[in-house]
Amino acid sequence: IEYLDSLTIGVTLNDTAGVTFNWQLISGAMGLVSDSTYSFGITPEDGVQYEFTATNSNGCSVDSIVIVSVTKLRRANAPTGFTPNGDGVNDYFFIQGGDKVEEVTLFRVYDRWGILVFEGNKLEINVAEQGWDGVYRGQPATSGTYTWYSDVLFKDGHTEQLKGNIILLR
């Protein structure tokens, strides 16, 4: 599921006369299905699996498993360039993201030789001043391409590792 608030799960049977049926939760945290219909609505936070079993009056059974996968929208990223020239525009390199981000637990920037030029821990998302200002050892870093790495913690407890390159322009 992506971009959905709810989903309807249902079955269609060729013959429903004298049929008994049962929905059973196999995995996930949606609880028991108490709806006595052939379809029901769910709003899963995580993936779930249900098994549907139907038995006709002759004792013949059929079953099917419904697997619902959930893709969570976790938005966090960084720009590909910045200009730390003190003009108040694009002066910091920082991690940006949506409201589902708890914090940037680790943020590192390396020069082309692999030397660590910036490190931040437990940073707030979207706060420019907590990012790299383009300074290394008290001096403006040279223009060029730098490599970055970040661990981003989301409010649901998931940590995502992000990495890429940034171009510093002076």
Side-chain angles (χ1 to χ4, degrees), residues 12-125:
T12 303
L13 300 176
N14 294 333
D15 181 16
T16 59
V19 173
T20 59
F21 63 91
N22 179 37
W23 286 100
Q24 182 176 349
L25 181 68
I26 297 172
S27 69
M30 289 302 297
L32 297 174
V33 179
S34 60
D35 199 339
S36 62
T37 63
Y38 291 107
S39 66
F40 59 96
I42 61 172
T43 54
E45 292 288 322
D46 294 300
V48 293
Q49 292 183 16
Y50 290 98
E51 180 177 26
F52 178 81
T53 305
T55 306
N56 68 14
S57 58
N58 295 324
C60 295
S61 292
V62 64
D63 62 357
S64 183
I65 294 177
V66 177
I67 300 172
V68 178
S69 297
V70 177
T71 301
K72 296 184 180 186
L73 297 177
R74 294 186 173 102
R75 294 183 306 192
N77 213 330
T80 57
F82 78 124
T83 57
N85 56 12
D87 67 355
V89 178
N90 207 19
D91 285 335
Y92 293 90
F93 174 54
F94 60 102
I95 302 296
Q96 301 169 22
D99 62 354
K100 296 185 185 326
V101 175
E102 180 71 28
E103 71 178 6
V104 178
T105 56
L106 176 66
F107 184 37
R108 291 181 175 158
V109 180
Y110 300 90
D111 69 10
R112 65 182 180 175
W113 296 282
I115 296 171
L116 182 66
V117 296
F118 174 80
E119 182 174 27
N121 295 288
K122 296 186 178 184
L123 307 175
E124 295 178 57
I125 194 77

